[in-house]
Amino acid sequence: MSHRVLLSGGPDYVASGDRSRIVEELTDEVKLSCYGGHEHFSFTGDYRVVDGERAAVMRWCGRTTVAE
């Protein structure tokens, strides 16, 4: 089953258009590639209504860099 999620918090350079997406599992972290690294978001247990649809809130929980 897929879930609509809203990515909350984190760096300002994460574009607003990248903050709403569909994921398969709420138990998995969402990893967003940005500027040579990954921004990580995890499910908080909260929900918000976005464009008339219920969306799970995934809050920023850290950044990792890509190894060369």
Side-chain angles (χ1 to χ4, degrees), residues 4 17 35 38 40 49-51 53 66:
R4 184 175 190 150
Y35 297 105
H38 294 103
H40 298 261
V49 176
V50 177
D51 298 329
E53 290 184 50
V66 176

mmCIF file of all heavy atoms in Angstrom, residues 4 17 35 38 40 49-51 53 66:
data_model
loop_
_atom_site.group_PDB
_atom_site.id
_atom_site.type_symbol
_atom_site.label_atom_id
_atom_site.label_comp_id
_atom_site.label_asym_id
_atom_site.label_seq_id
_atom_site.Cartn_x
_atom_site.Cartn_y
_atom_site.Cartn_z
ATOM 1 N N ARG A 4 0.956 8.839 0.951
ATOM 2 C CA ARG A 4 1.422 10.188 0.645
ATOM 3 C C ARG A 4 2.120 10.716 1.895
ATOM 4 O O ARG A 4 1.611 10.584 3.006
ATOM 5 C CB ARG A 4 0.260 11.094 0.274
ATOM 6 C CG ARG A 4 0.732 12.463 -0.133
ATOM 7 C CD ARG A 4 -0.424 13.293 -0.617
ATOM 8 N NE ARG A 4 0.132 14.482 -1.213
ATOM 9 C CZ ARG A 4 -0.405 15.154 -2.188
ATOM 10 N NH1 ARG A 4 -1.553 14.754 -2.687
ATOM 11 N NH2 ARG A 4 0.163 16.218 -2.666
ATOM 12 N N GLY A 17 8.768 21.632 -3.727
ATOM 13 C CA GLY A 17 8.239 20.625 -4.632
ATOM 14 C C GLY A 17 8.717 19.217 -4.326
ATOM 15 O O GLY A 17 8.104 18.236 -4.737
ATOM 16 N N TYR A 35 22.941 18.016 -3.039
ATOM 17 C CA TYR A 35 24.266 18.627 -2.877
ATOM 18 C C TYR A 35 25.330 17.665 -2.352
ATOM 19 O O TYR A 35 25.986 17.936 -1.345
ATOM 20 C CB TYR A 35 24.168 19.859 -1.979
ATOM 21 C CG TYR A 35 23.313 20.950 -2.556
ATOM 22 C CD1 TYR A 35 22.038 21.177 -2.058
ATOM 23 C CD2 TYR A 35 23.768 21.732 -3.619
ATOM 24 C CE1 TYR A 35 21.237 22.168 -2.598
ATOM 25 C CE2 TYR A 35 22.966 22.719 -4.166
ATOM 26 C CZ TYR A 35 21.706 22.939 -3.648
ATOM 27 O OH TYR A 35 20.913 23.911 -4.191
ATOM 28 N N HIS A 38 22.797 12.999 1.306
ATOM 29 C CA HIS A 38 21.405 12.569 1.423
ATOM 30 C C HIS A 38 20.796 13.170 2.684
ATOM 31 O O HIS A 38 21.393 13.104 3.757
ATOM 32 C CB HIS A 38 21.314 11.040 1.517
ATOM 33 C CG HIS A 38 21.763 10.356 0.274
ATOM 34 N ND1 HIS A 38 22.993 9.756 0.169
ATOM 35 C CD2 HIS A 38 21.148 10.180 -0.910
ATOM 36 C CE1 HIS A 38 23.115 9.230 -1.040
ATOM 37 N NE2 HIS A 38 22.010 9.472 -1.718
ATOM 38 N N HIS A 40 17.811 12.754 5.337
ATOM 39 C CA HIS A 40 17.019 11.628 5.823
ATOM 40 C C HIS A 40 15.801 12.134 6.593
ATOM 41 O O HIS A 40 15.911 13.065 7.398
ATOM 42 C CB HIS A 40 17.859 10.736 6.738
ATOM 43 C CG HIS A 40 19.022 10.127 6.051
ATOM 44 N ND1 HIS A 40 19.013 8.828 5.577
ATOM 45 C CD2 HIS A 40 20.237 10.627 5.731
ATOM 46 C CE1 HIS A 40 20.174 8.557 5.013
ATOM 47 N NE2 HIS A 40 20.936 9.641 5.097
ATOM 48 N N VAL A 49 -3.320 17.329 6.531
ATOM 49 C CA VAL A 49 -4.086 17.332 5.289
ATOM 50 C C VAL A 49 -3.359 18.243 4.303
ATOM 51 O O VAL A 49 -3.097 19.412 4.591
ATOM 52 C CB VAL A 49 -5.535 17.807 5.519
ATOM 53 C CG1 VAL A 49 -6.268 17.899 4.191
ATOM 54 C CG2 VAL A 49 -6.250 16.852 6.463
ATOM 55 N N VAL A 50 -3.005 17.684 3.133
ATOM 56 C CA VAL A 50 -2.304 18.418 2.078
ATOM 57 C C VAL A 50 -3.120 18.286 0.802
ATOM 58 O O VAL A 50 -3.365 17.164 0.344
ATOM 59 C CB VAL A 50 -0.877 17.856 1.857
ATOM 60 C CG1 VAL A 50 -0.193 18.578 0.714
ATOM 61 C CG2 VAL A 50 -0.063 17.937 3.127
ATOM 62 N N ASP A 51 -3.552 19.404 0.268
ATOM 63 C CA ASP A 51 -4.370 19.414 -0.962
ATOM 64 C C ASP A 51 -5.569 18.481 -0.831
ATOM 65 O O ASP A 51 -5.916 17.747 -1.755
ATOM 66 C CB ASP A 51 -3.534 19.021 -2.184
ATOM 67 C CG ASP A 51 -2.398 19.992 -2.446
ATOM 68 O OD1 ASP A 51 -2.566 21.192 -2.140
ATOM 69 O OD2 ASP A 51 -1.353 19.554 -2.953
ATOM 70 N N GLU A 53 -5.851 15.807 0.905
ATOM 71 C CA GLU A 53 -5.508 14.408 1.167
ATOM 72 C C GLU A 53 -4.732 14.289 2.469
ATOM 73 O O GLU A 53 -3.933 15.158 2.811
ATOM 74 C CB GLU A 53 -4.633 13.842 0.045
ATOM 75 C CG GLU A 53 -5.342 13.655 -1.266
ATOM 76 C CD GLU A 53 -4.438 12.999 -2.277
ATOM 77 O OE1 GLU A 53 -3.824 11.951 -1.943
ATOM 78 O OE2 GLU A 53 -4.326 13.519 -3.390
ATOM 79 N N VAL A 66 27.897 11.547 0.541
ATOM 80 C CA VAL A 66 28.189 10.470 -0.392
ATOM 81 C C VAL A 66 29.706 10.253 -0.402
ATOM 82 O O VAL A 66 30.474 11.197 -0.582
ATOM 83 C CB VAL A 66 27.684 10.822 -1.805
ATOM 84 C CG1 VAL A 66 28.078 9.745 -2.809
ATOM 85 C CG2 VAL A 66 26.176 11.008 -1.795
#
